[in-house]
Amino acid sequence: MRRTEKHIFELQRGHRPRSGSGCPGGALRILGRVAAGLFFSFTALFAVSSCARMGQPDGGWYDETPPRVIGSTPADKATGITGRKIRINFDEFIKIDNPTENVVVSPPQMEAPEIKGQGKSIVVELKDSLKPNTTYTIDFSDAITDNNEDNPLGNFTYSFSTGSEIDTMEVSGHVLEAENLEPVKGILVGLYANQSDSAFHKLPMLRVSKTDSRGRFVIKGVAPGSYRIYALQDVDGDYRFSQKSEKLAFNHDVIVPSSKPDVRQDTLWRDSLHIDSIARVGYTHFLPDDIVLRAFTEVLTDRYFIKAERQDANHFTLFYSYGSNKLPEVKGLNFNAADAFLVEANEKRDTITYWLRDTALVNQDTLSVQLAYEMTDSAGQLVMQTDTLQILSKQPYARRLKDLQRRRNEWQKRQDRAKKRGDKYETVWRPEALKPEIKAPSQFDPDQNILFSFPVPLAEMDTAKVHLYSKIDTLWYRARFLLRPYPPIPRTYELYGEWRPGVEYSLEVDSAAFRDIYGNVSDKLKQGFKVRNDDEYTTIVMNLEGMNGRPVICQLLDKQDKVQKQVSTTSGTAEFFYVNPDTYYLRMIVDENANGRWDTGDYDLDRQPEEVYYYPEKIECRAKWEVRKTWQPAVRRLDEQKSAEITQQKADKKKTIKYRNAERARKMGVPLPANVVTVRK
């Protein structure tokens, strides 16, 4: 039963509200004295207006009482059950949120149970046959709420047994992404009594749970014994690892559930700011409760052809599911493929681009090719596969010819207008110049380099036409540099210089310094930039205890968990130079194979993903500082390492209106009545 805020105000002031008014009786008596004069009338109107503002709340105090279970058929924790239909009754109307996703039945059900709310009841009908001498649990988590205020019946689990005893043990922990320690939400976590490695492939999980938004799981109704534990993003619903695309986590620890009596402290809050009392409450502590599983997705090594694409007329691209050291063999069926292509493969060699050298071939709308490539067969072996493809240009020759004519007409009009004005004009149409993209900010860090990216492969690069000058005092001097390919990005080159802090530089490129495979040349260009001074930066030195001799990658992260700087080391010390003042975080990868990147795991090869750790504190950097820290990466549990500020998977807001009464009272400027709410944090 709600009471409106205006009644709360009046009771606190000692007034008894009149039915239908909500204003102090004094104000109404003033209104009744019409003969008292205009002054009193205005006073009365002002009072009524003030009371009206106080008497227009946005509702009364919220009911914060969750629904309460008043009975069930069969009874909760009943034994010897043979029926598959359960009815749970509540003291008020309830609703259940997305039971298919939020309610977990254990042992896992191969045929999904039917779960629905019916007024003040929930009815569950299990479709699978019941197993003998087995404890069944139906974990509703916080999916059940009352119908009006969405107060959740938190962490509610119903259980029964088909045998003479009911199992009550629990095991709990967290599932994290192995690559970045993000909590994994909604992944299955299950136990196997069969501890052979093949059980995860062949048998469904024995008992299961699902992780919440914090990656937290609790598996309930566990019988005494020993188990192995796994996590699985079960794509096909068979409760076993049957597809390489399924995310998984495993370890070789043997789980032995146990329990002990324990005491916890519960804080009772008078409101959102004030503690009422702290109570010591006894409970049963189930162990283990600190399991951490690192989830990963295996590399999909099965190779097959995905598609061919010709977005631009001058090249086409072949896409494969996985790379191969052997490039595809391309035979032209309506053209001569001998020396027709310049082939460009990405780092993984799963995407291969063929640039057409001959402009006559570029103008051909359809290329018929016979493609021979390596493909994985049903036995998992690489075999040669031959396909015939018709590769169509997304930009037909007629359309490109029309666009070219339009550009030439626009150019001619510009020249005619210039000639009429007596301005300088051109008489010969020239194709568009080759335009490299140059990444050189005006303010430059000493450990950066300049990147040249080209839209088309180069046929020639004349470095004698590329000049770099540095300004010393007031004079410009030639500066040494090296222009070399930059493998991570196709058609990109890196200008590597001896950058000196505080020095101004000028990059000048003569015309025709670069020529692409179609004969287009670059225009002349000039760009200036300055290398920032040493005193604008921070240096970070992180001592990694216990890591000396092990190859590790340390990554300096911003507030979005993005890598800003990276160093590799085996010395047990990671040093970051030229760090811009800001707030940073640190991630460390144990690079076991020393290949300079994080590598995932493989279940069949019994290989765990490479270990990842997060420095648990933020690192504040200011100009001219040197920050020195010491870190023992393996001391703190993994689920307690990553800072909440950079965790992308945020915890869901609880389905509760807890604290809303306190917030309402704060806005009204009144104390929260003790009989309205008691808040527990």
Side-chain angles (χ1 to χ4, degrees):
M1 188 75 182
R2 288 188 176 184
R3 295 185 296 169
T4 61
E5 292 159 346
K6 57 188 178 182
H7 288 180
I8 296 294
F9 271 115
E10 291 161 352
L11 289 172
Q12 288 173 342
R13 296 183 178 186
H15 294 295
R16 179 172 183 146
R18 291 188 179 184
S19 175
S21 70
C23 294
L28 294 177
R29 288 193 294 272
I30 292 173
L31 285 173
R33 299 170 183 172
V34 179
L38 187 59
F39 174 80
F40 292 102
S41 298
F42 282 134
T43 304
L45 287 172
F46 179 81
V48 170
S49 174
S50 299
C51 293
R53 285 196 298 271
M54 292 172 61
Q56 299 210 3
D58 56 354
W61 300 115
Y62 291 102
D63 170 26
E64 293 193 355
T65 306
R68 182 170 57 89
V69 177
I70 58 174
S72 61
T73 306
D76 188 16
K77 296 181 174 56
T79 57
I81 302 303
T82 57
R84 291 180 288 172
K85 191 169 185 178
I86 301 113
R87 177 181 290 271
I88 305 171
N89 302 315
F90 299 87
D91 63 344
E92 59 179 311
F93 289 97
I94 55 89
K95 55 187 177 183
I96 183 166
D97 178 30
N98 193 6
T100 303
E101 293 295 326
N102 295 328
V103 179
V104 179
V105 179
S106 194
Q109 304 293 289
M110 295 303 154
E111 186 176 352
E114 185 177 314
I115 304 172
K116 55 187 177 182
Q118 294 182 351
K120 295 184 179 182
S121 300
I122 288 177
V123 176
V124 179
E125 186 171 353
L126 303 179
K127 301 298 184 180
D128 288 359
S129 299
L130 298 182
K131 299 177 181 180
N133 300 314
T134 300
T135 295
Y136 281 77
T137 59
I138 306 173
D139 187 353
F140 293 92
S141 186
D142 59 357
I144 301 172
T145 62
D146 63 29
N147 198 52
N148 294 321
E149 304 288 6
D150 285 338
N151 290 309
L153 177 59
N155 300 320
F156 173 60
T157 300
Y158 171 89
S159 60
F160 67 88
S161 175
T162 57
S164 58
E165 296 181 353
I166 192 159
D167 300 318
T168 59
M169 291 294 183
E170 300 178 5
V171 297
S172 57
H174 290 82
V175 181
L176 307 175
E177 291 281 3
E179 186 174 6
N180 55 21
L181 302 192
E182 282 284 314
V184 182
K185 178 182 177 181
I187 193 170
L188 276 176
V189 185
L191 296 177
Y192 281 88
N194 185 329
Q195 296 176 29
S196 66
D197 291 341
S198 62
F200 192 30
H201 278 305
K202 297 179 179 179
L203 302 174
M205 294 172 169
L206 184 65
R207 303 206 68 80
V208 295
S209 176
K210 270 187 180 180
T211 56
D212 61 16
S213 59
R214 300 171 299 156
R216 176 78 176 168
F217 68 87
V218 181
I219 304 176
K220 300 180 180 180
V222 182
S226 59
Y227 303 89
R228 284 184 64 182
I229 189 166
Y230 300 84
L232 180 67
Q233 201 170 58
D234 191 21
V235 175
D236 50 11
D238 60 359
Y239 295 93
R240 59 190 179 91
F241 180 40
S242 55
Q243 298 186 34
K244 287 178 71 70
S245 61
E246 294 176 321
K247 184 178 293 184
L248 74 148
F250 72 99
N251 61 38
H252 292 295
D253 296 342
V254 175
I255 306 299
V256 180
S258 63
S259 65
K260 65 177 182 178
D262 211 335
V263 176
R264 67 166 179 257
Q265 290 186 338
D266 276 6
T267 303
L268 299 177
W269 293 74
R270 186 180 309 118
D271 53 41
S272 60
L273 298 176
H274 303 92
I275 295 176
D276 183 73
S277 61
I278 298 177
R280 290 173 59 83
V281 180
Y283 74 105
T284 301
H285 189 162
F286 294 101
L287 298 168
D289 62 352
D290 57 355
I291 301 168
V292 177
L293 296 172
R294 299 186 298 128
F296 63 93
T297 303
E298 295 183 351
V299 175
L300 301 179
T301 56
D302 288 349
R303 190 171 197 263
Y304 53 88
F305 177 67
I306 298 175
K307 64 177 180 177
E309 196 171 73
R310 192 180 174 190
Q311 292 287 357
D312 294 318
N314 60 2
H315 69 277
F316 64 89
T317 304
L318 304 179
F319 297 88
Y320 294 86
S321 62
Y322 191 70
S324 172
N325 291 329
K326 185 177 182 180
L327 290 176
E329 299 173 6
V330 179
K331 178 182 178 181
L333 300 180
N334 63 348
F335 66 95
N336 184 5
D339 200 32
F341 311 121
L342 190 152
V343 182
E344 179 184 274
N346 67 346
E347 270 192 304
K348 294 181 179 179
R349 299 177 74 85
D350 59 4
T351 304
I352 301 103
T353 299
Y354 295 81
W355 293 90
L356 308 177
R357 295 178 183 273
D358 190 351
T359 53
L361 202 56
V362 172
N363 294 335
Q364 189 168 318
D365 288 343
T366 302
L367 301 176
S368 297
V369 300
Q370 181 177 288
L371 190 65
Y373 59 93
E374 289 186 324
M375 184 189 76
T376 306
D377 65 8
S378 58
Q381 302 298 316
L382 285 176
V383 297
M384 291 302 295
Q385 169 74 18
T386 301
D387 292 337
T388 299
L389 304 177
Q390 302 292 322
I391 305 176
L392 277 66
S393 173
K394 293 288 183 68
Q395 299 175 338
Y397 176 66
R399 184 194 303 171
R400 289 185 288 114
L401 195 62
K402 186 176 180 180
D403 290 343
L404 177 62
Q405 188 60 50
R406 176 182 53 78
R407 292 198 303 272
R408 295 192 65 166
N409 291 339
E410 291 174 352
W411 173 85
Q412 187 61 57
K413 289 178 181 178
R414 290 195 301 271
Q415 306 314 310
D416 290 344
R417 287 195 296 268
K419 183 178 179 180
K420 187 177 293 186
R421 293 193 304 267
D423 296 338
K424 185 178 179 180
Y425 65 94
E426 298 178 359
T427 58
V428 179
W429 159 266
R430 294 186 304 164
E432 292 185 4
L434 175 64
K435 295 180 180 179
E437 179 187 356
I438 301 178
K439 297 180 180 178
S442 59
Q443 292 290 317
F444 210 64
D445 293 336
D447 58 349
Q448 284 183 296
N449 287 314
I450 297 173
L451 296 181
F452 289 74
S453 294
F454 295 88
V456 175
L458 294 183
E460 184 181 359
M461 177 173 61
D462 187 353
T463 56
K465 294 182 177 181
V466 180
H467 315 283
L468 183 66
Y469 301 97
S470 61
K471 188 177 182 181
I472 308 298
D473 295 329
T474 59
L475 299 178
W476 289 94
Y477 297 88
R478 285 188 176 274
R480 294 194 303 171
F481 68 90
L482 178 64
L483 190 58
R484 60 191 181 186
Y486 186 68
I489 307 176
R491 303 180 306 282
T492 300
Y493 299 82
E494 180 183 42
L495 190 148
Y496 181 86
E498 294 179 335
W499 312 117
R500 298 181 180 181
V503 174
E504 188 177 347
Y505 289 84
S506 177
L507 174 65
E508 300 178 16
V509 181
D510 299 337
S511 59
F514 307 106
R515 182 171 61 86
D516 68 22
I517 60 175
Y518 303 115
N520 300 316
V521 297
S522 59
D523 283 338
K524 65 185 304 184
L525 60 88
K526 181 178 180 179
Q527 187 165 342
F529 53 91
K530 184 177 181 180
V531 178
R532 296 164 62 186
N533 286 309
D534 279 341
D535 58 7
E536 297 182 46
Y537 298 101
T538 302
T539 298
I540 300 175
V541 180
M542 182 67 71
N543 295 314
L544 309 169
E545 293 193 355
M547 293 295 155
N548 192 19
R550 299 185 70 183
V552 299
I553 303 167
C554 285
Q555 298 173 326
L556 205 60
L557 311 171
D558 63 14
K559 295 176 183 177
Q560 284 72 47
D561 203 26
K562 303 296 183 184
V563 178
Q564 299 302 302
K565 285 184 178 293
Q566 175 174 304
V567 296
S568 297
T569 180
T570 57
S571 67
T573 301
E575 296 178 303
F576 296 92
F577 301 102
Y578 305 116
V579 178
N580 289 305
D582 206 339
T583 300
Y584 296 96
Y585 303 84
L586 187 69
R587 174 169 59 212
M588 187 188 76
I589 300 168
V590 181
D591 189 18
E592 294 290 358
N593 57 6
N595 65 352
R597 64 173 183 267
W598 177 83
D599 289 297
T600 189
D602 189 297
Y603 181 74
D604 291 333
L605 297 178
D606 194 24
R607 188 180 68 231
Q608 290 285 350
E610 289 182 330
E611 298 171 48
V612 172
Y613 299 92
Y614 273 74
Y615 184 64
E617 302 172 10
K618 57 187 177 183
I619 303 172
E620 298 287 353
C621 294
R622 297 183 183 179
K624 301 181 182 180
W625 277 21
E626 180 177 274
V627 178
R628 288 186 172 271
K629 301 278 187 180
T630 297
W631 178 27
Q632 295 177 290
V635 168
R636 185 177 294 206
R637 260 176 32 194
L638 289 181
D639 59 292
E640 298 175 344
Q641 289 196 5
K642 190 169 186 178
S643 173
E645 286 93 337
I646 59 172
T647 299
Q648 306 301 305
Q649 171 58 55
K650 302 298 184 184
D652 289 342
K653 292 182 179 179
K654 293 182 178 180
K655 298 175 184 177
T656 175
I657 46 93
K658 190 182 290 186
Y659 309 127
R660 278 164 54 181
N661 281 333
E663 180 66 13
R664 171 164 292 190
R666 185 186 66 79
K667 289 181 178 179
M668 292 166 57
V670 300
L672 186 66
N675 62 339
V676 171
V677 63
T678 300
V679 182
R680 172 179 290 172
K681 284 191 176 180

